[in-house]
mmCIF file of all heavy atoms in Angstrom:
data_model
loop_
_atom_site.group_PDB
_atom_site.id
_atom_site.type_symbol
_atom_site.label_atom_id
_atom_site.label_comp_id
_atom_site.label_asym_id
_atom_site.label_seq_id
_atom_site.Cartn_x
_atom_site.Cartn_y
_atom_site.Cartn_z
ATOM 1 N N VAL A 4 124.354 129.862 23.118
ATOM 2 C CA VAL A 4 125.162 129.337 24.231
ATOM 3 C C VAL A 4 125.190 130.325 25.376
ATOM 4 O O VAL A 4 125.020 129.975 26.545
ATOM 5 C CB VAL A 4 126.590 129.020 23.746
ATOM 6 C CG1 VAL A 4 127.479 128.667 24.927
ATOM 7 C CG2 VAL A 4 126.575 127.897 22.722
ATOM 8 N N ALA A 34 111.843 126.623 69.256
ATOM 9 C CA ALA A 34 111.151 125.576 70.007
ATOM 10 C C ALA A 34 110.070 124.959 69.138
ATOM 11 O O ALA A 34 109.614 125.563 68.160
ATOM 12 C CB ALA A 34 110.547 126.145 71.286
ATOM 13 N N VAL A 76 100.728 121.635 77.496
ATOM 14 C CA VAL A 76 101.583 121.741 76.316
ATOM 15 C C VAL A 76 102.990 121.280 76.666
ATOM 16 O O VAL A 76 103.538 121.684 77.695
ATOM 17 C CB VAL A 76 101.649 123.190 75.785
ATOM 18 C CG1 VAL A 76 102.687 123.301 74.672
ATOM 19 C CG2 VAL A 76 100.311 123.634 75.254
ATOM 20 N N THR A 141 120.905 131.018 83.817
ATOM 21 C CA THR A 141 121.128 129.861 82.955
ATOM 22 C C THR A 141 121.022 128.574 83.770
ATOM 23 O O THR A 141 121.590 128.466 84.857
ATOM 24 C CB THR A 141 122.516 129.940 82.297
ATOM 25 O OG1 THR A 141 122.591 131.139 81.526
ATOM 26 C CG2 THR A 141 122.757 128.744 81.383
ATOM 27 N N ALA A 144 122.180 120.880 83.701
ATOM 28 C CA ALA A 144 122.055 119.676 84.521
ATOM 29 C C ALA A 144 123.380 119.394 85.209
ATOM 30 O O ALA A 144 124.444 119.395 84.574
ATOM 31 C CB ALA A 144 121.649 118.489 83.658
ATOM 32 N N PHE A 204 111.218 118.369 99.791
ATOM 33 C CA PHE A 204 109.880 117.777 99.792
ATOM 34 C C PHE A 204 109.847 116.551 100.693
ATOM 35 O O PHE A 204 110.848 115.860 100.872
ATOM 36 C CB PHE A 204 109.417 117.430 98.370
ATOM 37 C CG PHE A 204 110.341 116.523 97.604
ATOM 38 C CD1 PHE A 204 110.419 115.176 97.877
ATOM 39 C CD2 PHE A 204 111.128 117.031 96.576
ATOM 40 C CE1 PHE A 204 111.253 114.338 97.164
ATOM 41 C CE2 PHE A 204 111.973 116.206 95.845
ATOM 42 C CZ PHE A 204 112.026 114.859 96.144
#
Side-chain angles (χ1 to χ4, degrees):
V4 172
V76 173
T141 301
F204 56 75

